């Protein structure tokens, strides 16, 4: 099975790039290979490459997609999101001579972190016309982000029909562009978002509420910029890449539906505790028949393009896995739903893959369980059938890849993130019920946030393997106790000196999460 080869590629380690030459696949451990596959995924969605592919300057015109815009001392730039600093730096390199003024809202501390990591390509020049404003500490909207949103709104408001507004948008943009509709306060909106997230609300549900209660989301920024032409370059962090939901769609003109908001509040039992200000805004939207600025259905002055997504990251990860000697199988870029159900699906798929290596193959019961559970977590039947067929046909090592954004319904007050909790739950699932068949294979699971930040922690995520629970109990750690308190970060910090935590620092991009299952046909598994 093992084969020698040499291949050079660039990847992220500790926030810095370097060139790495693979000499022998067998010289690398399974965790090392998992980390390299993740780095390949990140590299594919770093801002510079995506911006250069989508912004073309030729003959005094800016070409984006199938549209061309004359540049005549009329170009302005705004942006908000975790990847926007790198996107703005790339835009500045391409368009500097035409840029008049810009404002971007980016995560707290990102400039210092990228500077320390030597990522000068993601930083603006010292004399840049683009103002950088940091905020949303721990990914929560705050006064600094509110000030940035007001500055962006003011810039957009002053534009004319001769102007062009280039808008850079990525995941995290909702927290970095808070502008609540009066009389809703920032604190009220933040607390409502926290309550919904704690109850397991999806990103789609969260952004539906955010749009309804915002001045700038739901096409609000485009309305303030009217009659200027607006170009939105969007790095997607939402399943299915819906433009109106990424960062809550500030450049995508849409109509807020108060009924949808009421249904979400009712679903999560929040109707009785809503602030009076929120009720007032929703009632005003219901009765408002004359939009204040332009028609909510007029999209002629706004053009939006998706420049990167989880699918691109998975394609690059798949190519890297193949170079490392694995058969790559992409399950889905749209895994969602409760983290318990997602972890159970991965547990079933790992058992299926291990059984497929043995005479007789996987059981009919196991196959039926996978086909029943898959649609519950966003994986349609045809993807499941394709995946199971590919697994059964694999005669060597395989790498199962997927992406998405599971949800965690908070029950405790511990510290962690959805990726760390998913990795721990997969290990617990593999330690229970149907045992893995004994054989000459190693199994590793990794769950990582492409932005490098999993929840309010310094980790991008974690890795786990079938014997983790046994090892943890031997160290006096009971994973189930930590999970009850949603305290996965504390568990991984204490387990084996924290070696299962994966820290990359802020990556400068954000396309949801990447999940990896590595099954290698060589000896016993050791992390």
């Amino acid at each position: 099975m093992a084969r020698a080869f040499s291949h050079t590629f660039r990847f992220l380690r500790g926030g810095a790039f370097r060139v790495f030459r693979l000499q022998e696949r067998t010289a690398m451990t399974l965790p090392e290979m998992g980390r390299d596959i993740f780095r390949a995924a990140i590299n594919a969605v770093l801002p510079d490459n995506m911006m250069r592919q989508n912004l073309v300057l030729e003959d005094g015109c800016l070409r984006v997609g199938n549209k061309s815009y004359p540049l005549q001392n009329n170009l302005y730039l705004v942006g908000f999101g975790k990847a926007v600093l790198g996107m703005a730096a790339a835009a500045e390199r391409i368009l500097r001579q035409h840029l008049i003024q810009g404002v971007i809202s980016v995560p707290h501390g990102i400039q210092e972190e990228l500077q320390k990591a030597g990522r000068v390509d993601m930083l603006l020049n010292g004399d840049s016309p683009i103002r950088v404003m940091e905020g949303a500490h721990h990914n929560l909207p705050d006064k600094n982000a509110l000030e940035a949103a007001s500055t962006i709104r003011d810039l957009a408001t002053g534009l004319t029909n001769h102007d062009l507004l280039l808008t850079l948008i990525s995941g995290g943009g909702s927290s970095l562009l808070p502008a609540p509709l009066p009389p809703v306060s920032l604190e009220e909106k933040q607390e409502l978002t926290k309550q919904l997230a704690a109850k397991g609300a999806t990103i789609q549900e969260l952004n539906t509420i955010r749009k309804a209660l915002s001045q700038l989301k739901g096409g609000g920024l485009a309305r303030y910029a009217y009659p200027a032409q607006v170009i939105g370059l969007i790095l997607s962090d939402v399943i299915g890449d819906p433009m109106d939901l990424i960062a809550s769609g500030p450049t995508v003109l849409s109509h807020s539906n108060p009924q949808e908001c009421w249904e979400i509040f009712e679903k999560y039992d929040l109707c009785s505790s809503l602030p009076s200000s929120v009720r007032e805004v929703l009632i005003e939207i219901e009765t408002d028949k004359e939009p204040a600025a332009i028609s909510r259905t007029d999209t002629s002055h706004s053009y939006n393009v998706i420049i990167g997504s989880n699918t691109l990251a998975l394609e690059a990860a798949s190519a890297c896995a193949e170079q490392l000697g694995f058969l790559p199988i992409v399950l889905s870029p749209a895994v969602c739903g409760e983290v318990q159900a997602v972890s159970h699906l991965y547990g079933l798929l790992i058992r299926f893959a291990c059984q497929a290596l043995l005479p007789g193959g996987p059981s009919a019961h196991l196959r039926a369980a996978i086909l029943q559970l898959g649609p519950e977590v966003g994986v349609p039947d045809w993807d499941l059938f394709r995946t199971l067929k590919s697994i059964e046909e694999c005669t060597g090592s395989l790498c199962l890849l997927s992406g998405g954004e599971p949800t965690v319904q908070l029950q405790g007050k511990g510290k962690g993130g959805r990726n760390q909790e998913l990795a721990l739950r997969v290990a617990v699932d593999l330690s229970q019920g149907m045992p893995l068949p004994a054989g000459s294979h190693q199994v590793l699971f990794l769950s990582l946030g492409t932005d490098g930040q999993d929840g309010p922690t310094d980790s991008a995520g974690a890795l786990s393997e079938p014997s983790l629970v046994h090892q943890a109990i031997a160290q006096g750690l009971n994973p189930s106790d930590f999970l009850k308190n949603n305290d996965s970060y504390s568990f991984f910090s204490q387990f084996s000196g924290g070696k299962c935590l994966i820290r990359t620092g802020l990556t400068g991009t954000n396309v949801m999460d990447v999940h990896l299952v590595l099954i290698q046909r060589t000896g016993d598994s050791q992390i």
Side-chain angles (χ1 to χ4, degrees):
M1 165 58 196
R3 56 190 175 94
F5 62 94
S6 178
H7 182 75
T8 300
F9 65 105
R10 296 171 65 81
F11 64 93
L12 187 71
R13 171 163 289 171
F17 282 86
R18 67 185 182 87
V19 176
F20 184 80
R21 182 169 293 276
L22 297 174
Q23 298 292 351
E24 287 281 353
R25 181 176 81 76
T26 53
M28 300 178 69
T29 66
L30 209 57
E32 287 173 338
M33 288 189 278
R35 287 180 169 93
D36 281 353
I37 293 170
F38 177 64
R39 293 180 190 112
I42 293 297
N43 289 348
V45 289
L46 287 174
D48 190 69
N49 289 337
M50 292 182 296
M51 293 294 288
R52 291 190 178 278
Q53 291 170 8
N54 289 277
L55 275 184
V56 178
L57 184 62
E58 56 184 16
D59 299 328
C61 290
L62 175 61
R63 181 161 54 82
V64 181
N66 60 4
K67 293 201 173 187
S68 183
Y69 302 87
L71 295 178
Q72 300 171 340
N73 199 36
N74 62 342
L75 181 61
Y76 296 81
L77 182 149
V78 296
F80 28 88
K82 294 180 179 180
V84 159
L85 184 57
M87 293 170 73
E92 183 179 49
R93 285 190 288 272
I94 299 168
L95 303 168
R96 175 60 191 269
Q97 64 190 30
H98 298 282
L99 272 175
I100 306 302
Q101 181 185 359
V103 181
I104 59 174
S105 179
V106 298
H108 172 82
I110 191 170
Q111 293 180 99
E112 181 180 0
E113 192 158 338
L114 292 174
Q115 185 74 51
K116 288 180 179 177
R119 293 309 314 274
V120 293
D121 60 307
M122 288 191 175
L123 298 172
L124 296 169
N125 293 324
D127 60 347
S128 173
I130 303 171
R131 179 183 177 186
V132 181
M133 303 181 72
E134 294 188 357
H137 195 43
H138 291 313
N139 204 31
L140 296 172
D142 55 21
K143 291 182 179 179
N144 291 332
L146 182 62
E147 181 184 356
S150 297
T151 305
I152 288 171
R153 181 192 61 207
D154 292 344
L155 186 152
T157 303
L159 300 180
T160 72
N161 62 338
H162 299 293
D163 295 323
L164 179 64
L165 181 64
L166 180 61
T167 307
L168 310 177
I169 304 170
S170 76
S174 289
S175 296
L176 287 159
L177 196 72
L181 277 168
V184 179
S185 69
L186 177 63
E187 293 74 20
E188 287 174 329
K189 190 174 179 182
Q190 183 174 341
E191 179 59 29
L192 186 57
T193 302
K194 275 185 184 179
Q195 291 176 8
L196 285 165
K199 289 177 177 287
T202 66
I203 187 65
Q204 290 85 350
E205 291 170 330
L206 288 171
N207 284 356
T208 296
I209 300 301
R210 286 166 172 158
K211 286 196 301 181
L213 302 179
S214 174
Q215 299 177 52
L216 297 177
K217 298 177 174 68
L221 177 61
R223 288 193 287 272
Y224 275 105
Y226 185 80
Q229 292 289 313
V230 177
I231 303 171
L233 296 185
I234 304 170
L235 182 60
S236 175
D237 72 329
V238 180
I239 289 170
D241 305 332
M243 292 184 181
D244 63 323
L245 290 180
I246 301 165
S248 304
T251 58
V252 182
L253 301 173
S254 63
H255 177 65
S256 295
N257 186 342
Q259 185 57 38
E260 289 182 6
C261 297
W262 289 117
E263 289 173 359
I264 292 170
F265 291 141
E266 184 176 358
K267 176 181 177 180
Y268 295 106
D269 195 26
L270 290 174
C271 287
S272 61
S273 60
L274 286 178
S276 58
S277 59
V278 172
R279 295 177 180 276
E280 182 178 335
V281 165
L282 292 180
I283 291 172
E284 285 181 356
I285 294 173
E286 285 178 322
T287 57
D288 178 22
K289 298 182 181 175
E290 297 293 333
I294 63 172
S295 169
R296 294 177 188 268
T297 60
D298 180 6
T299 60
S300 61
H301 79 300
S302 184
Y303 178 60
N304 295 284
V305 179
I306 298 286
I307 66 171
S309 67
N310 190 269
T311 297
L312 292 177
L314 293 181
E315 288 174 355
S318 180
C320 180
E322 187 172 17
Q323 291 166 352
L324 288 169
F326 294 91
L327 172 69
I329 303 171
V330 177
L331 173 64
S332 171
V335 173
C336 57
E338 287 286 345
V339 69
Q340 294 96 321
V342 174
S343 64
H344 188 46
L345 177 64
Y346 286 131
L348 293 174
L349 286 168
I350 289 170
R351 289 186 174 92
F352 187 93
C354 291
Q355 287 186 12
L357 298 173
L358 303 176
S363 68
H365 172 75
L366 183 55
R367 182 191 303 273
I370 292 171
L371 293 174
Q372 181 178 359
L373 180 58
E376 183 181 327
V377 296
V379 185
D381 290 340
W382 57 86
D383 281 338
L384 291 168
F385 282 116
R386 171 186 52 79
T387 297
L388 296 182
K389 185 175 185 295
S390 297
I391 290 174
E392 288 182 294
E393 293 175 349
C394 178
T395 58
S397 299
L398 67 86
C399 174
L400 182 65
L401 304 106
S402 59
E405 197 165 279
T407 56
V408 176
Q409 187 167 352
L410 297 179
Q411 303 291 339
K413 297 183 179 180
K415 188 175 184 180
R418 60 179 177 266
N419 289 286
Q420 294 162 79
E421 179 149 335
L422 178 57
L424 186 52
R425 286 189 179 277
V426 167
V428 171
D429 187 276
L430 292 176
S431 72
Q432 299 172 343
M434 187 191 313
L436 289 178
S440 57
H441 55 260
Q442 300 181 64
V443 176
L444 189 72
F445 177 80
L446 302 91
S447 184
L448 303 155
T450 55
D451 60 355
Q453 184 178 31
D454 185 35
T457 76
D458 61 357
S459 172
L463 56 82
S464 63
E465 53 92 47
S467 69
L468 181 144
V469 172
H470 176 75
Q471 295 177 44
I473 290 175
Q475 296 176 28
L477 303 171
N478 187 336
S480 296
D481 291 340
F482 287 89
L483 287 172
K484 288 176 184 176
N485 195 34
N486 298 115
D487 202 17
S488 54
Y489 180 78
S490 296
F491 171 83
F492 281 115
S493 297
Q494 297 174 45
F495 175 68
S496 296
K499 68 179 181 180
C500 291
L501 284 173
I502 298 180
R503 296 181 173 93
T504 64
L506 295 177
T507 63
T509 190
N510 184 20
V511 292
M512 298 188 290
D513 303 332
V514 170
H515 308 151
L516 305 175
V517 174
L518 298 180
I519 299 180
Q520 185 181 35
R521 297 191 73 178
T522 55
D524 294 329
S525 173
Q526 290 292 328
I527 290 183

